[in-house]
Amino acid sequence: GSIERLDYLHQLGIEVIWLSPIYASPDHDNGYDISDYQAIDPRYGTLADFDELLAEAHRRDIKIVMDLVVNHTSAEHAWFRESRSSRDNPRRDWYWWRPARPGSTPGEPGAEPTNWGSFFSGPTWTYDELTGEYYMHLFAAGQPDLNWEHPEVRHAVYRMMNWWLDRGIDGFRMDVVNLLSKHVELPDGDVGPGRLHGDGSPYYVCGPRIHEFLAEMHREVFAGRPQP
């Protein structure tokens, strides 16, 4: 449907189209739970369809910007499936895993590694019985947070971003990019009046390495590229 409407958008004077997430996703959060960064969800077509959209948009001097979230993936992403498979998997530390709170019973309420509340209600931790640890998700349980402290995570993300730019897209709108850096100590947050969970935001919003991570992203992805 987008390709068919490009002439109309061009007539309106539209210069940029911002696409909400169209990647493969189980769609628990409107596509912001990405299960494959380099695949188009079948609901929206194929990579060939996307390439046609990109070419036809550019032919009309319309740029394409893609929505991208790299704070977390879907729990169905291959990276997380590997991370979840065992404590000694090479990708275990690609996500935030922690044991239960000392002195507590794993899986019981209050045993979570921190008292943080998620943006989507409930705790920011889900217990995984297979490996006996909790994983962090600032959003839904199906959206585990990537561990940006791990350099392999960062460079896997940069390779993916470069893949899209090399394909011809004109840029990204980066979702919740201000949450990439966490305080690695993961302290408990203050529990406000009437709240069940602590406010962890001082420890993950614009964290201590956020400018470092964004500067590295610029060097590895954007620096030296011609401006679209």
Side-chain angles (χ1 to χ4, degrees):
S2 300
I3 296 171
E4 295 175 354
R5 291 166 174 80
L6 286 174
D7 283 335
Y8 173 64
L9 296 176
H10 180 63
Q11 291 167 13
L12 290 176
I14 299 299
E15 297 178 342
V16 180
I17 296 173
W18 163 14
L19 298 174
S20 292
I22 58 172
Y23 317 93
S25 169
D27 200 31
H28 297 308
D29 183 22
N30 298 304
Y32 287 90
D33 48 325
I34 300 170
S35 57
D36 188 338
Y37 284 110
Q38 292 173 242
I40 302 296
D41 194 281
R43 291 170 296 169
Y44 306 119
T46 65
L47 271 174
D49 295 327
F50 176 82
D51 289 340
E52 181 183 358
L53 169 64
L54 191 62
E56 291 299 320
H58 286 170
R59 193 164 67 83
R60 294 165 175 83
D61 295 320
I62 298 174
K63 295 179 172 62
I64 297 291
V65 171
M66 298 184 73
D67 215 328
L68 181 65
V69 54
V70 292
N71 174 71
H72 50 264
T73 68
S74 165
E76 297 182 20
H77 195 292
W79 297 346
F80 187 69
R81 288 181 175 177
E82 288 187 46
S83 181
R84 197 176 199 171
S85 65
S86 70
R87 290 195 189 188
D88 58 2
N89 185 277
R91 285 186 169 150
R92 181 65 169 184
D93 291 336
W94 281 39
Y95 295 83
W96 293 89
W97 291 93
R98 291 291 185 275
R101 188 180 295 270
S104 65
T105 301
E108 293 294 317
E112 294 84 9
T114 72
N115 67 354
W116 300 354
S118 82
F119 287 106
F120 288 176
S121 78
T124 60
W125 299 91
T126 289
Y127 181 63
D128 182 64
E129 292 186 356
L130 177 64
T131 57
E133 289 190 327
Y134 289 82
Y135 66 87
M136 180 199 296
H137 50 88
L138 295 182
F139 294 88
Q143 295 171 287
D145 278 47
L146 285 164
N147 178 11
W148 272 70
E149 295 292 321
H150 200 310
E152 290 182 9
V153 170
R154 302 198 303 273
H155 288 282
V157 169
Y158 304 152
R159 285 193 297 272
M160 173 270 295
M161 294 174 71
N162 276 301
W163 184 85
W164 280 110
L165 289 169
D166 291 343
R167 205 170 192 96
I169 73 162
D170 300 288
F172 300 99
R173 178 264 174 182
M174 304 295 292
D175 187 63
V176 296
V177 73
N178 60 323
L179 307 183
L180 300 184
S181 174
K182 279 83 168 171
H183 287 250
V184 295
E185 301 85 1
L186 305 181
D188 278 341
D190 292 336
V191 181
R195 298 285 186 176
L196 294 176
H197 303 286
D199 177 12
S201 63
Y203 309 113
Y204 60 71
V205 174
C206 297
R209 299 184 69 187
I210 187 61
H211 294 293
E212 175 190 344
F213 292 159
L214 294 180
E216 182 181 69
M217 181 186 294
H218 179 266
R219 291 194 305 271
E220 297 293 328
V221 179
F222 301 107
R225 287 185 178 273
Q227 293 298 310

